[in-house]
Amino acid sequence: MNSMFRFLKSLFLLELFGGMRVTGRHFWRKKITLHYPEERAPVSPRFRALHAQRRYANGEERCIACKLCEVVCPAMAITIESAQREDGSRRTTRYEIDLTKCIFCGFCEESCPVDSIVETHVYEYHGESRDELLMTKEKLLAVGDKYEAQIAAARAQDAKYR
Amino acid sequence: MVNIEINGIKLEARDGAMVIEVADEAGIVIPRFCYHKKLSIAANCRMCLVEVEKVAKPLPACATPVTEGMKVFTHSPKALGAQRAVLEFLLINHPLDCPICDQGGECDLQEMAIGFGGDVSRYAEGKRVVTDPDLGALIATDMGRCIHCTRCVRFGQEVAGMWELGGTGRGEHTRIGTYVADTVDSELSANVVDLCPVGALTSKPYRYSGRPWELVGRPGISPHDCVGANLRADIRGKQIMRVLPQEREEINETWLADRDRFAYLGGRSAERITAPMVKRETGWQATDWDSALTFAAEGLKRVLDVHGPSQLGAWVGDTATVEEAYLTQKLMRALGSGNVDHRLRQVDFRDQEQLPAFPYLGMAIADLERLDGALLIGSNIRKEQPLLGQRLRKAALRGGQIAFINPRAYPFNFPVSQQIVAAHNWVTEVAAVARAALALAGEEIPEGLPEAEVGEAHEAIAAALRSGEQRAVLLGNLAAYHPAQTELRAMAALIARSCGAHFGVLAEGGNSAGAWLAGAVPHRGMAAQPTAVMGRDWRSMAHEGVKGLLLLSTEPESDCIEPLRATQALKQADFVVAINAFASDAARDYADVILPPALYLEAAGTLVNCEGRWQSFEGTTPPPGEARPAWKLLRVLGNLLNAIGFEQLSITDVRDELAPALAVGADNQIPWRVPAPPSFEGGIMRLVDYPIYSVDGLVRRSAPLQQTRDAIAGAVYVAGATLTQVDLGGADRVRVMQGEGEALLPVIVDEAIPVGCVYIPAGTTATAALGGGFGVVEMTHA
């Protein structure tokens, strides 16, 4: 009995027409595909991508080398060395995030008492070697300087939920 | 004993004990800030408030003595409420700057705030703002964080014996500081960093460089004095970040001297080398181990072949471990030479045959604080062995009669019953005490005891040494440097014997006892066994010359008491192998090959302290670069020189060979011998000592220690009257001549120096060109 049904099913190409029906239905629907990079999907203010270090309005770096992000990082992607700067303040002499290790959990941002380390909306970055994916302090500060407006806007937008 | 109950647990307590002590012993946690078991009770933080049955108000557990049938509740709603309220008060003026505070992560206040603090601050008023005093190179201050527990104040008063920090003002306006701006100069000062329950006092060299959670603590032993203080090196990665005390009641209690704590920074010196270096025609070259060790072995072999084994010698630093000292002497003796010595700060070896197996304190370190009478001959114990000085201070405060016979007056931080200052006639002053002691004991005066006039002070010292339970006569470091060491030792032992007191020696180096036991002396082998070849002591090597020298962890230009003679001997030698972590200019001049060993926290080893306690330790961090543990270098040198018995595979193999030394019992019998003291007639006498921060290469290179007030500069310290005597009144620089050497030194007028004497410290670069230790010097205009 079963074998007869299977024979008839394949004889009349029933499965093929079933598939063509799905294709036909979607053929006439409104498209959701974006023409990236000309078109982009909207991102949440909480979106977590490339890291940045922020500065205060007077140009002073925010990071105070408390090392909370380093200890909270589950992937151990952050390396910090600190020392006393000439003016007596506590500063990092080395701050590195290894993007090949980072899992973009955002704990570093959450732990930061001075909102220094943040994750921006920049997901379009690449590196051709591991070295290029090692974010040094200079690179992080440069990212922060470049996207400060965007970073500040996203934080302002999300502030009431924090 | 009284019976009390804490949280329903029945406990038995000593009469007069405080509730907090009983709770601590039973493992019941009571929060506290101001209470510390080694300090007096202040009861000013109020954090330890507990509820006691039938008492209306909560009571501070640290200041409430136990009474029979007392029922204490440490976690009742009333107690917890009181603790919470106190914490809220303490946090009113606290800046809450934990993210930038070095104490963050190991802060009592932080922990209490988690346990007892509220989660929302109710305080909206302004906070107190205070300035931070500069307390010197070791202690950083952030006084805004201070909660006025006064632990640091009490430490200075009660333990360090220098009341440098104090509280001024009242209530919220209390300030902890020095009142008149000054540095904190105690040799134990950095203990306040450990004591401070908050981040008000932190370590300056460690400032902002690490976090407690990223450090791994590994135990070690301090090699800078004969105490053998137990410490904990905190390591991050491969770097030593800081050194903290490890509690060891019978040795260092909970304290650590600043020297032990900050010496590790010397390892960061620019002179540290991390690859072996060989001197070739073209100059110094860094090279690999194979060629460096072969070069060293070939050089020593050449000396051996050309001049014979008697022209080969080894000088061992007194901070080298037992294993290193043992292998050095084994190598020398395997090559047929007995010339091995570690007593580089001594000049008098006349009684070496009669000496006990090792310099022994004569008692346990902890017994020092129970002494009822003590006579220290030639000791500035406070700066030489700070932790022993602290113990002795406790004895003095308990009423112990502590007397000194020193070549110059030293300031002590405890009541000294007698301090006899005798520069030229030191031997006779000690002889006078010996005569007084013998007279009191009704004993015969032994043959040859120098004639001396017995005065009241001598009689008082002798009488104090006969009264009370525990008495001791201790021979200090200054006696070891003195040319009449033999006489001083014999008479000290005589005094002790006639008074029934302990006789003890405060060894001058961190591992002097270990070096003696390992056989790093010319006349005895390991475990004080007789040796086949009698060697020469370092001084005869330096004066008569040797053609080949092996230096182990020592810098003769600073460590030797006769630095000029030592460097000249090294320069005249055909071949010098220096096993030393630092390549100083002097070493580059005299050495032919420098082999960098691991420093003291980087390799395993054993140190023997003055009470004969063997303390083994492991390396806490791998040595940098190519540096290797010194015992491995010596082992390979032994192999390359075809010496027998150099097959050890691990340091435990070396330790196993040292088993007979471990079995050597402490004994301090010094037989009487007829003294023949040298005289210091004519001219000005130089008094010498090794200042606290000049004792070894590591300490000399520790930058923060060198910035303290105790880092005594190489200069001529002299009383004004002496200067006038030699027509140099008002001179600010003088030319000092001693033996073959001379040096141009600044003059510092110090009226504490006896007239007719000058004090010129040893162990400094400026004084390295001088010809000796205690002795006659001449001074002329610069």
Side-chain angles (χ1 to χ4, degrees):
Chain A
M1 200 66 179
N2 262 345
S3 56
M4 205 172 77
F5 270 123
R6 267 208 303 278
F7 173 73
L8 290 174
K9 232 171 151 181
S10 59
L11 181 68
F12 296 107
L13 299 174
L14 283 183
E15 285 185 343
L16 183 72
F17 287 115
M20 289 305 284
R21 209 175 119 226
V22 176
T23 310
R25 193 163 69 232
H26 283 277
F27 191 79
W28 301 106
R29 282 219 181 138
K30 186 173 181 280
K31 308 293 177 295
I32 58 164
T33 314
L34 289 176
H35 293 274
Y36 181 84
E38 286 81 22
E39 294 172 358
R40 278 156 198 263
V43 291
S44 151
R46 296 176 187 178
F47 190 81
R48 301 191 298 263
L50 185 66
H51 307 73
Q53 275 211 15
R54 295 176 71 194
R55 293 180 192 273
Y56 289 108
N58 63 0
E60 177 65 280
E61 58 182 282
R62 283 179 182 244
C63 182
I64 49 168
C66 74
K67 302 203 183 191
L68 287 178
C69 50
E70 185 188 35
V71 72
V72 80
C73 180
M76 295 196 218
I78 306 182
T79 312
I80 301 174
E81 277 170 23
S82 57
Q84 190 164 10
R85 200 169 62 182
E86 268 171 31
D87 63 0
S89 64
R90 184 189 180 109
R91 296 291 163 194
T92 56
T93 50
R94 178 179 171 199
Y95 188 109
E96 287 173 1
I97 297 185
D98 188 344
L99 290 180
T100 61
K101 287 183 187 166
C102 180
I103 56 167
F104 299 93
C105 64
F107 281 3
C108 49
E109 180 171 349
E110 236 173 281
S111 69
C112 188
V114 288
D115 288 344
S116 170
I117 185 74
V118 289
E119 288 192 69
T120 63
H121 298 174
V122 181
Y123 50 83
E124 297 156 307
Y125 61 88
H126 79 295
E128 287 171 12
S129 66
R130 279 176 166 267
D131 282 1
E132 284 174 44
L133 288 171
L134 189 74
M135 295 296 282
T136 59
K137 186 177 172 184
E138 291 71 35
K139 286 195 208 170
L140 289 164
L141 281 169
V143 177
D145 292 344
K146 189 169 173 194
Y147 296 104
E148 177 54 34
Q150 193 194 70
I151 294 166
R155 293 236 144 29
Q157 216 180 331
D158 196 38
K160 57 185 171 199
Y161 306 110
R162 290 193 183 222
Chain B
M1 300 298 264
V2 290
N3 295 301
I4 69 161
E5 211 174 85
I6 302 181
N7 298 344
I9 304 164
K10 287 193 168 52
L11 296 166
E12 222 175 45
R14 176 175 57 80
D15 274 328
M18 298 297 161
V19 172
I20 203 165
E21 291 174 58
V22 184
D24 278 356
E25 270 167 40
I28 299 165
V29 179
I30 299 178
R32 88 283 308 268
F33 292 114
C34 71
Y35 173 78
H36 189 274
K37 61 182 174 182
K38 289 279 172 191
L39 300 175
S40 65
I41 289 161
N44 54 10
C45 76
R46 315 311 277 188
M47 191 63 210
C48 64
L49 290 176
V50 291
E51 184 185 352
V52 178
E53 194 190 44
K54 292 176 196 153
V55 179
K57 291 183 183 179
L59 296 175
C62 71
T64 307
V66 290
T67 51
E68 185 60 44
M70 187 184 219
K71 282 187 181 162
V72 182
F73 304 96
T74 65
H75 287 76
S76 66
K78 191 172 169 187
L80 280 178
Q83 289 163 3
R84 278 208 189 96
V86 166
L87 196 86
E88 195 171 6
F89 269 119
L90 288 175
L91 286 174
I92 278 183
N93 276 316
H94 195 77
L96 304 177
D97 56 352
C98 305
I100 57 159
C101 176
D102 266 342
Q103 195 85 355
E106 56 181 355
C107 174
D108 291 357
L109 187 62
Q110 225 178 11
E111 280 163 28
M112 303 292 172
I114 290 170
F116 302 92
D119 35 9
V120 175
S121 174
R122 293 191 285 170
Y123 186 76
E125 290 78 5
K127 292 205 179 208
R128 173 187 59 144
V129 176
V130 291
T131 49
D132 302 327
D134 182 3
L135 298 183
L138 306 179
I139 304 168
T141 57
D142 291 277
M143 298 320 277
R145 299 174 188 149
C146 178
I147 56 165
H148 307 140
C149 72
T150 68
R151 274 188 191 179
C152 53
V153 178
R154 281 175 286 145
F155 174 81
Q157 250 176 313
E158 293 161 17
V159 181
M162 283 174 93
W163 195 357
E164 295 178 298
L165 291 170
T168 49
R170 307 190 63 173
E172 194 187 49
H173 304 291
T174 309
R175 302 269 184 282
I176 300 292
T178 48
Y179 189 52
V180 176
D182 197 4
T183 52
V184 170
D185 299 323
S186 163
E187 61 284 352
L188 300 171
S189 66
N191 285 303
V192 299
V193 171
D194 301 336
L195 285 174
C196 186
V198 296
L201 303 173
T202 49
S203 161
K204 209 172 239 182
Y206 169 70
R207 191 162 173 84
Y208 296 162
S209 62
R211 281 295 194 193
W213 58 75
E214 51 186 17
L215 305 176
V216 183
R218 300 212 175 95
I221 306 293
S222 172
H224 305 292
D225 57 26
C226 63
V227 181
N230 287 213
L231 50 84
R232 186 185 98 197
D234 276 354
I235 313 289
R236 191 182 68 197
K238 290 181 181 178
Q239 204 184 13
I240 302 168
M241 300 304 290
R242 62 176 178 180
V243 166
L244 297 176
Q246 183 95 306
E247 186 168 344
R248 189 81 189 263
E249 189 57 35
E250 59 271 40
I251 300 176
N252 53 314
E253 300 169 75
T254 52
W255 315 125
L256 204 56
D258 291 355
R259 183 168 59 184
D260 305 329
R261 190 185 297 258
F262 295 112
Y264 74 96
L265 292 158
R268 298 185 187 168
S269 152
E271 284 184 330
R272 174 110 203 239
I273 53 165
T274 55
M277 288 172 73
V278 171
K279 196 198 271 176
R280 303 199 195 272
E281 287 79 22
T282 47
W284 281 96
Q285 260 178 19
T287 176
D288 58 285
W289 277 115
D290 270 352
S291 48
L293 284 163
T294 321
F295 185 83
E298 277 167 5
L300 292 175
K301 192 103 183 60
R302 215 162 36 241
V303 173
L304 210 58
D305 291 344
V306 178
H307 303 282
S310 66
Q311 283 301 315
L312 202 62
W315 293 353
V316 180
D318 50 20
T319 56
T321 64
V322 185
E323 291 87 347
E324 292 161 13
Y326 167 73
L327 285 179
T328 312
Q329 64 89 26
K330 190 174 182 181
L331 178 64
M332 282 300 132
R333 296 201 161 112
L335 298 176
S337 164
N339 299 335
V340 53
D341 207 349
H342 75 279
R343 301 163 297 176
L344 305 178
R345 298 189 224 171
Q346 299 185 15
V347 287
D348 178 14
F349 306 111
R350 283 171 291 157
D351 63 347
Q352 61 179 12
E353 295 293 345
Q354 284 112 17
L355 290 185
F358 67 94
Y360 173 48
L361 186 62
M363 63 187 111
I365 286 175
D367 290 340
L368 277 176
E369 65 184 65
R370 287 186 276 276
L371 287 176
D372 299 300
L375 169 64
L376 282 89
I377 299 173
S379 176
N380 181 15
I381 192 165
R382 190 179 149 199
K383 301 289 178 189
E384 284 163 356
Q385 292 89 16
L387 291 167
L388 299 188
Q390 187 267 125
R391 295 260 190 188
L392 209 57
R393 181 171 184 274
K394 280 197 225 172
L397 295 182
R398 269 183 56 248
Q401 303 277 310
I402 315 290
F404 286 87
I405 307 182
N406 277 344
R408 58 169 282 211
Y410 285 106
F412 290 101
N413 54 0
F414 48 82
V416 172
S417 64
Q418 304 283 342
Q419 176 157 218
I420 298 179
V421 176
H424 290 88
N425 53 345
W426 197 7
V427 172
T428 23
E429 289 291 337
V430 179
V433 176
R435 280 176 180 271
L438 289 167
L440 279 179
E443 283 176 33
E444 233 175 85
I445 288 165
E447 183 200 347
L449 185 65
E451 286 300 322
E453 209 174 301
V454 180
E456 266 178 39
H458 309 119
E459 274 167 359
I461 293 174
L465 281 176
R466 296 182 65 84
S467 59
E469 290 282 302
Q470 295 284 325
R471 294 97 61 199
V473 178
L474 299 174
L475 200 64
N477 291 177
L478 300 172
Y481 312 148
H482 201 269
Q485 181 186 196
T486 298
E487 282 75 22
L488 292 169
R489 179 154 42 212
M491 286 190 293
L494 179 70
I495 296 169
R497 216 163 28 239
S498 66
C499 297
H502 299 283
F503 170 65
V505 178
L506 300 161
E508 69 269 26
N511 194 31
S512 293
W516 271 93
L517 288 169
V521 278
H523 60 293
R524 278 181 196 162
M526 189 255 293
Q529 283 151 359
T531 160
V533 202
M534 177 69 189
R536 289 184 283 159
D537 57 66
W538 85 267
R539 200 158 169 256
S540 11
M541 283 189 247
H543 283 262
E544 295 156 18
V546 269
K547 295 295 175 197
L549 258 169
L550 174 68
L551 303 176
L552 175 70
S553 310
T554 181
E555 296 173 302
E557 70 274 18
S558 305
D559 287 337
C560 286
I561 189 87
E562 293 180 13
L564 181 72
R565 197 54 246 155
T567 32
Q568 279 175 357
L570 285 162
K571 280 180 203 165
Q572 283 156 11
D574 289 351
F575 196 75
V576 176
V577 181
I579 301 184
N580 194 0
F582 305 105
S584 61
D585 289 343
R588 282 168 192 269
D589 194 22
Y590 59 65
D592 292 282
V593 51
I594 306 180
L595 309 174
L599 286 173
Y600 80 107
L601 285 170
E602 297 164 358
T606 304
L607 297 174
V608 185
N609 75 356
C610 59
E611 49 177 1
R613 189 191 292 269
W614 288 60
Q615 299 192 94
S616 291
F617 50 88
E618 295 301 314
T620 60
T621 170
E626 287 298 304
R628 292 289 178 270
W631 74 267
K632 290 190 181 176
L633 308 183
L634 290 161
R635 203 212 90 142
V636 179
L637 269 183
N639 294 149
L640 291 173
L641 289 163
N642 298 323
I644 299 162
F646 284 83
E647 286 84 40
Q648 300 88 350
L649 292 178
S650 72
I651 195 147
T652 35
D653 292 349
V654 189
R655 268 177 214 158
D656 290 346
E657 290 181 33
L658 280 158
L662 199 58
V664 174
D667 158 50
N668 247 1
Q669 294 303 315
I670 312 278
W672 174 252
R673 69 200 296 279
V674 179
S679 77
F680 296 105
E681 290 308 315
I684 293 195
M685 185 173 164
R686 175 183 175 191
L687 309 176
V688 73
D689 66 14
Y690 283 82
I692 179 167
Y693 299 140
S694 304
V695 291
D696 59 56
L698 204 58
V699 173
R700 283 191 289 267
R701 288 182 177 81
S702 170
L705 289 180
Q706 294 308 324
Q707 288 159 19
T708 59
R709 206 166 278 179
D710 272 341
I712 292 170
V716 177
Y717 297 77
V718 60
T722 319
L723 275 181
T724 336
Q725 206 178 315
V726 290
D727 290 333
L728 285 170
D732 55 354
R733 288 178 81 77
V734 290
R735 186 176 301 279
V736 182
M737 281 155 286
Q738 184 182 23
E740 312 151 332
E742 62 168 60
L744 203 61
L745 293 171
V747 174
I748 296 173
V749 175
D750 183 349
E751 296 302 334
I753 309 295
V755 175
C757 298
V758 290
Y759 162 64
I760 306 174
T764 65
T765 343
T767 56
L770 287 175
F774 282 97
V776 176
V777 293
E778 276 180 58
M779 292 197 295
T780 57
H781 281 287

